[in-house]
């Protein structure tokens, strides 16, 4: 947020309020030569900001509530559900279970793509024997995102061909 004021030796006091009243107990940021303020908040809802600018030769000037910021809640990346493993060369689909405001986009990740690869639809392909940790990041319509808890996924080898003599005496 920025406030435009001219003059020497100005002091800026930024305030936050969730109503149109200017009754706030204390400024949230104070300083000379700081007409800019970056709000740091994780509270969902609409917050209003204003600034009181004071100087040595003029009475203090209070901005109006022009700095409204809407903070959107993050989606909740729910648990991954589905099979906990597959065989080399086989596929299975895992399911994301988010909560929040859709529509959603997903980015799936395998910690060991040499063991199992996963695409952004949750389709897992077994590549080599072993285990990998799979997660997804869900992004909602507001651009807010969260990453799921780790889902341990195993890949087992497939049975090889039987070799040896075809008969015995």
């Amino acid at each position: 947020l920025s406030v435009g004021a001219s003059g020497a030796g100005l002091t800026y006091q930024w305030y936050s309020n969730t109503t149109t009243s200017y009754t706030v107990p204390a400024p949230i940021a104070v300083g000379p030569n700081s007409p800019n303020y970056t709000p740091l908040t994780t509270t969902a809802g609409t917050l209003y900001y204003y600034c009181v600018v004071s100087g040595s030769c003029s009475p203090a000037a209070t901005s109006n509530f022009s700095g409204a910021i809407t903070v959107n809640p993050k989606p909740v990346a729910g648990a991954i559900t589905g099979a906990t493993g597959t065989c080399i060369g086989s596929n299975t689909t895992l399911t994301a279970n988010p909560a929040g405001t859709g529509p959603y986009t997903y980015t799936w990740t395998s910690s060991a793509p040499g063991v199992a690869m996963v695409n952004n639809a949750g389709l897992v392909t077994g590549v080599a024997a072993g285990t990998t940790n799979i997660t997804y990041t869900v992004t909602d319509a507001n651009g807010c995102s969260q990453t799921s808890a780790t889902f341990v996924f195993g890949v087992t080898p497939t049975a090889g061909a039987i070799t040896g003599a075809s008969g015995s005496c």
Side-chain angles (χ1 to χ4, degrees):
L1 301 174
S2 296
V3 64
S6 60
L10 299 178
T11 298
Y12 301 88
Q13 295 178 318
W14 285 94
Y15 294 83
S16 175
N17 200 336
T18 58
T19 68
T20 56
S21 168
Y22 286 100
T23 306
V24 176
I28 53 176
V30 178
N33 305 317
S34 57
N36 301 315
Y37 175 69
T38 302
L40 300 174
T41 183
T42 58
T43 305
T46 301
L47 303 174
Y48 298 91
Y49 293 86
Y50 68 94
C51 185
V52 175
V53 181
S54 52
S56 60
C57 294
S58 62
T62 302
S63 69
N64 47 3
F65 279 103
S66 61
I69 295 181
T70 300
V71 179
N72 298 306
K74 283 185 168 189
V76 176
I80 297 172
T81 56
T84 58
T86 192
C87 296
I88 295 173
S90 296
N91 298 318
T92 189
T93 300
L94 299 178
T95 303
N97 295 289
T101 304
Y104 302 111
T105 57
Y106 303 96
T107 304
W108 289 81
T109 306
S110 169
S111 66
V115 172
M117 295 184 299
V118 61
N119 70 16
N120 286 336
L123 179 69
V124 183
T125 303
V127 177
T131 59
T132 185
N133 295 322
I134 294 179
T135 59
Y136 72 91
T137 299
V138 58
T139 303
D140 67 15
N142 297 312
C144 300
S145 61
Q146 186 181 52
T147 301
S148 70
T150 299
F151 185 81
V152 179
F153 189 85
V155 177
T156 56
T158 54
I162 299 174
T163 59
S166 60
S168 72
C169 297

